[in-house]
Amino acid sequence: MNAVQRHHLRIAWWMILPCTVGLLCFRLFPILASFLISFSDWNIIGIPKFVGLDNYVEALTSPLGVKVLLNTVQYASVYVPLATILGFSLALLVDTGIRGVVFFRTLYFLPFITATVAVAISWKWMFATRFGILNAFLSWLHLSDPIAWLSNPNVALFSVTVVMVWKDTGFYMVLFLAGLQTIDRTLIEAAKLDGASTWRFFIDFLIPLSKTMIAAMFIF
């Protein structure tokens, strides 16, 4: 490695240092601390008391713990497919090179970078039972009586899931878009020249080449 390369390497390390410090302080350290605290009985004020796996046993055997686990499974069973399909669909749309693609890409990504508090307040207003936009729309179409979107146990979890899908889809769109833009365009042209239909092109070509990004999305 010559002097110029070493200089560029030092610059690169200094540029990623702030992000690395932030990641360590605000992501990795809290995760590690939470994991260690989970093995203790602690009210935040006193001294933690090590209890081993008692917290996990209680969580997995208590009625409330089982309910939380089932709710998580239900949430994931709706959130993951919806976020995957919508994120991939938006990435395909943006990748076509339509006019105003920068505007649409920004528009789709905007919910992800919007403050969670702002999102919660906005959707809480939309979900309001008496004056919410959704109930007003359903009433205008004569489809349903006012629904308690956030207090009815039968629909509350679905309502929260929809909000999170709306908020996070733009992030997954960016992931899929990054994967799509790595595909060699000559392969796409060759598939079209060979007469591949849109469906066969999607199933036999696009999905296999995007499987790495799809796997990454499922992990997220």
Side-chain angles (χ1 to χ4, degrees), residues 7-38:
H7 176 68
H8 289 168
L9 183 61
R10 284 195 297 269
I11 293 176
W13 277 111
W14 278 110
M15 293 182 68
I16 67 173
L17 182 61
C19 182
T20 304
V21 172
L23 181 65
L24 291 173
C25 293
F26 300 108
R27 289 297 182 92
L28 298 183
F29 176 74
I31 290 174
L32 178 61
S34 300
F35 177 71
L36 296 177
I37 291 172
S38 69

Side-chain angles (χ1 to χ4, degrees), residues 115-136 147-151 156 159-164 166-167:
T116 304
V117 174
V119 171
I121 293 174
S122 301
W123 279 92
K124 183 179 179 181
W125 175 62
M126 294 175 64
F127 281 135
T129 304
R130 294 184 59 187
F131 305 108
I133 294 177
L134 293 179
N135 280 333
I147 299 174
W149 296 99
L150 299 178
S151 59
S159 301
V160 173
T161 306
V162 168
V163 175
M164 294 310 301
W166 172 82
K167 186 177 188 329

Side-chain angles (χ1 to χ4, degrees), residues 37-94:
I37 291 172
S38 69
F39 296 103
S40 64
D41 182 12
W42 188 35
N43 62 2
I44 302 179
I45 299 176
I47 300 176
K49 178 183 177 182
F50 181 76
V51 294
L53 296 176
D54 289 354
N55 290 330
Y56 291 95
V57 173
E58 182 179 354
L60 294 176
T61 56
S62 66
L64 180 59
V66 173
K67 183 175 180 58
V68 169
L69 183 61
L70 291 176
N71 285 341
T72 303
V73 172
Q74 293 176 9
Y75 171 83
S77 65
V78 177
Y79 172 88
V80 173
L82 279 179
T84 303
I85 294 173
L86 290 176
F88 194 63
S89 300
L90 290 177
L92 289 174
L93 179 63
V94 172

